[in-house]
Amino acid sequence: MRVLGIPLLGEQTYDPVAHMNVETARLLKPDLIIMDSEDKEQYEQLSRIAPTPAYNSHASLDERLT
């Protein structure tokens, strides 16, 4: 499965509330991880693997733009 033309981790299907498997991400050695979550602990783990911009796509447009 691809989201916006970008493959997800392995055979994982997109689930906006599921946590990304950090060990799988580490094994794939990505150049960039885009995180759709406000989970600070997971952000810390993923940002050690690759640059990780994070945003909350469930927030209002005004909140996302500020």
Side-chain angles (χ1 to χ4, degrees), residues 5-59:
I6 303 168
L8 296 173
L9 293 176
E11 298 299 316
Q12 177 180 339
T13 58
Y14 180 69
D15 181 347
V17 296
H19 287 282
M20 183 182 298
N21 183 311
V22 175
E23 187 55 34
T24 300
R26 186 181 329 280
L27 293 172
L28 292 173
K29 300 178 183 174
D31 295 322
L32 177 69
I33 299 169
I34 301 172
M35 184 174 166
D36 178 14
S37 173
E38 292 183 333
D39 184 323
K40 292 179 182 182
E41 181 180 332
Q42 188 171 46
Y43 174 81
E44 291 296 322
Q45 294 172 335
L46 294 173
S47 65
R48 290 185 203 118
I49 299 169
T52 307
Y55 71 99
N56 180 356
S57 66
H58 305 286

